[in-house]
Amino acid sequence: MDDEQLQAWTTEHRLLLADTLEQLGEERAGDPTLCAGWDVRTLAGHLLQPLRVPSWRFLLTAARVRSMAVACDVHAARLGARPLAEVVAEIRATAPRPVRPWYIGAAGPYTDTCIHLRDLAEPQGLEVRVPVERWVAALDIITSPRGRESFVPRPVGGRRGDGLLDGLSLHATDADRRYGEGEPVRGTAEAVAMVVSGRRAYLDRVSGAGAEMLAARLP
């Protein structure tokens, strides 16, 4: 998938996220999301990170706190610490702006918008989704070498990246796509993408001999 198409979809997703955040409003800004430790306000702040925080600054923060994940938490909390309406307005205003982080390029912000849309909407029972072909593009990215480093969590007792998916074959049943070799994990492209990016809430939407292995490895 070329960067121009990914950027166009990213813009649409940012606007859809802004609509969803606006629908929830300030009174639900403290509600939980599927991102561990992040409420709606913090997730909203994170959506601005690639737009407001240059790669060099993020890496400096990560070096200071000795963790990429904690650096994400730091910037998300800072950018979201204001009225939700202000954050939403900024997401809308900057939605078309192209962003290409040094490590993964346009693929990173694109995949982030797919995943975080469901992180936001799923706990609220909102049927806000992106089309199957966009989830397939996200899975292509997640299962790539750099995507695994960026989106696949460290397995329990193992290492970040490939360890979680070792010996597993991912099958997107609504797109006739398969990734990897091994015991099958079957589900919609959305369900597979969300599970392998660490969302345990989606475990009941995948099946196959590999699903139990995956469940045991997820943090």
Side-chain angles (χ1 to χ4, degrees):
M1 189 64 62
D2 63 75
D3 280 4
E4 185 176 350
Q5 181 62 80
L6 290 179
Q7 181 56 48
W9 285 346
T10 301
T11 298
E12 291 181 28
H13 298 173
R14 286 174 180 156
L15 293 172
L16 188 55
L17 279 155
D19 289 344
T20 306
L21 288 164
E22 189 171 62
Q23 179 181 348
L24 293 173
E26 188 67 38
E27 64 276 11
R28 298 177 73 178
D31 285 6
T33 71
L34 294 186
C35 295
W38 286 8
D39 58 14
V40 169
R41 186 188 309 282
T42 307
L43 190 151
H46 174 71
L47 295 173
L48 291 171
Q49 179 184 306
L51 297 157
R52 291 275 301 275
V53 183
S55 294
W56 64 265
R57 182 178 296 169
F58 178 81
L59 291 172
L60 283 177
T61 304
R64 176 171 56 83
V65 299
R66 300 183 180 182
S67 167
M68 300 284 274
V70 174
C72 280
D73 293 343
V74 168
H75 287 293
R78 178 179 63 82
L79 292 168
R82 49 189 162 138
L84 189 62
E86 289 184 16
V87 180
V88 170
E90 186 171 352
I91 293 171
R92 285 194 198 284
T94 57
R97 186 182 301 170
V99 179
R100 295 176 176 84
W102 70 275
Y103 184 71
I104 195 170
Y110 166 76
T111 306
D112 240 21
T113 61
C114 292
I115 294 170
H116 289 319
L117 182 63
R118 293 308 302 157
D119 285 337
L120 178 65
E122 177 70 22
Q124 310 294 338
L126 301 177
E127 286 296 317
V128 186
R129 302 178 188 273
V130 298
V132 173
E133 63 269 21
R134 302 191 189 186
W135 278 112
V136 170
L139 265 177
D140 289 346
I141 293 163
I142 292 168
T143 55
S144 71
R146 291 198 174 189
R148 291 182 181 190
E149 288 295 324
S150 299
F151 295 105
V152 178
R154 186 189 303 275
V156 173
R159 59 188 171 80
R160 185 175 180 82
D162 292 4
L164 188 79
L165 305 183
D166 283 353
L168 299 178
S169 175
L170 310 177
H171 298 248
T173 56
D174 53 349
D176 194 26
R177 294 291 287 271
R178 175 178 171 176
Y179 306 84
E181 298 292 335
E183 297 294 340
V185 178
R186 297 187 178 91
T188 64
E190 177 187 305
V192 172
M194 292 296 285
V195 166
V196 301
S197 59
R199 277 59 180 180
R200 297 188 66 90
Y202 273 76
L203 278 170
D204 63 355
R205 300 177 213 186
V206 295
S207 62
E212 187 173 342
M213 294 170 58
L214 184 59
R217 293 175 180 177
L218 281 175

